[in-house]
Amino acid sequence: MRRSPSSFVLLTTSLAFARPLAGQAPRDITEGGAAFLLVAVGARAAGLGQATTADGGTPEAAFWNPAGLARLPESEFALHHASTFASANTVLSGYVTSPILGVVGLAAYLVDYGSQDVVPGPGQAPSGRISPRNVELLASYAAPLNGTVSLGVSYKLIQLRNDCSGDCGPFRSITGTTHGVDAGLQWGRPQADGLLVGLALRHAGFDLQLENASQADPLPTRLAVGASYRRGLPRAPGPGPAFARMLLALENPCCHRLAPDLRLGTELGYGDLRLRAGYALLRSQSSGPSLGAGVKFGRLVVDFARIFFSGGNLDEPVYLSLRVIL
């Protein structure tokens, strides 16, 4: 993919790969290294205002609270795509369910900032090309402990890459790799009316090192707690249920006393149709409302969402998810 003009790609690359000297600047405890991990994954979650700590039953749960994978009723393959102001984000995932062993699966997440020519000076021909990308690979397992409690964990390999072809000057090829885990639990009865509560530790792991240990950045570790309340509605025609849900999630940088991010979501289900809306109150320009919808065609589920930023001049991201029930 090639993205036009170079200003944002070069800025993103500079921020990602040019670290300040030790002691030159304080670490940002609200983001840390690998800040791309904080970008919303999945159209369902985006449409719900990202208030999905107490949500589950789809492959997206691996990125929000792996305990929600235990509520996956059948094996699924999923493709998620998001077009943001900075990148094209793609996730491929597959999860297998077993009534005895639980749920196990893999996911691969690519954030592609596009390729950009490197021009040494005005009027000169390009000398090389840079391709900054972020990668996350997940291996997840989740299982119910009983009828109401489920647990889940994900191992994550996280990588920041800046690949260069030709002479890229200061933007040389460089790769930083680290490892992390997500863990969570949920309490409540799946697909039943009433309250569901979730707790998740996200992006816990080793510092991300690109140059040397003194310049390593911590991962953006988050502790999240959430709840959802579901209420059945008069029966809809066809096999799908009719219901309404309200969701809430609070998320804070782990081990720091800061005002937590607040996320709110609502969902209305009628037969095979889902309508969603939410609002994310974040300490960033990414705050704002969201709208989404989903529809099921046999064993194919299509979800769509858009986030509307309340401030700044950033292009607003669009999300599309395709799920195949196996």
Side-chain angles (χ1 to χ4, degrees):
M1 175 180 293
R2 180 182 176 86
R3 291 185 176 269
S4 67
S6 60
S7 58
F8 185 81
V9 174
L10 293 177
L11 174 61
T12 301
T13 307
S14 300
L15 293 176
F17 296 98
R19 301 299 184 192
L21 297 176
Q24 190 175 39
R27 289 177 173 176
D28 185 349
I29 61 175
T30 65
E31 292 187 4
F36 78 95
L37 297 174
L38 301 179
V39 176
V41 174
R44 172 177 164 132
L48 290 171
Q50 308 166 45
T52 50
T53 305
D55 190 30
T58 75
E60 293 180 26
F63 292 88
W64 299 95
N65 185 347
L69 291 172
R71 306 180 187 279
L72 196 65
E74 297 181 83
S75 301
E76 284 194 20
F77 172 82
L79 169 64
H80 307 292
H81 182 77
S83 178
T84 77
F85 72 95
S87 61
N89 305 344
T90 304
V91 177
L92 287 173
S93 64
Y95 294 91
V96 178
T97 65
S98 167
I100 299 176
L101 301 178
V103 178
V104 63
L106 302 171
Y109 179 24
L110 173 66
V111 178
D112 187 354
Y113 297 101
S115 297
Q116 182 64 47
D117 291 337
V118 177
V119 179
Q124 299 185 33
S127 61
R129 174 171 291 187
I130 56 171
S131 300
R133 298 181 177 92
N134 300 330
V135 177
E136 182 184 23
L137 303 178
L138 294 85
S140 303
Y141 174 75
L145 293 184
N146 52 43
T148 58
V149 178
S150 61
L151 299 176
V153 62
S154 293
Y155 157 77
K156 309 198 297 185
L157 184 147
I158 302 160
Q159 190 173 83
L160 269 65
R161 302 180 58 90
N162 186 47
D163 298 318
C164 166
S165 60
D167 181 5
C168 297
F171 303 108
R172 59 186 176 85
S173 293
I174 189 171
T175 301
T177 302
T178 190
H179 307 269
V181 295
D182 290 352
L185 65 86
Q186 290 184 344
W187 175 85
R189 294 189 178 276
Q191 305 301 320
D193 288 355
L195 183 67
L196 178 65
V197 177
L199 177 68
L201 178 66
R202 306 173 60 210
H203 321 313
F206 300 103
D207 289 358
L208 180 63
Q209 180 177 323
L210 291 171
E211 295 289 348
N212 52 55
S214 64
Q215 294 175 321
D217 285 334
L219 294 180
T221 306
R222 295 292 189 268
L223 183 63
V225 60
S228 67
Y229 182 80
R230 170 177 165 140
R231 187 70 177 178
L233 300 176
R235 183 72 184 180
F243 65 90
R245 284 200 308 158
M246 298 288 294
L247 302 95
L248 176 148
L250 294 171
E251 186 174 276
N252 202 58
C254 183
C255 308
H256 296 284
R257 293 185 177 181
L258 297 176
D261 290 335
L262 172 64
R263 297 175 168 93
L264 302 170
T266 62
E267 182 178 42
L268 177 64
Y270 191 78
D272 291 331
L273 177 65
R274 304 288 184 268
L275 299 177
R276 305 180 181 108
Y279 200 101
L281 296 166
L282 313 178
R283 295 185 302 275
S284 71
Q285 294 186 54
S286 300
S287 292
S290 59
L291 293 174
V295 63
K296 182 179 180 183
F297 303 96
R299 290 191 167 269
L300 174 65
V301 181
V302 180
D303 293 307
F304 172 84
R306 181 165 183 174
I307 296 176
F308 302 89
F309 294 143
S310 59
N313 298 314
L314 304 178
D315 292 338
E316 295 162 336
V318 176
Y319 288 79
L320 177 66
S321 295
L322 303 176
R323 296 161 40 209
V324 178
I325 302 172
L326 304 178

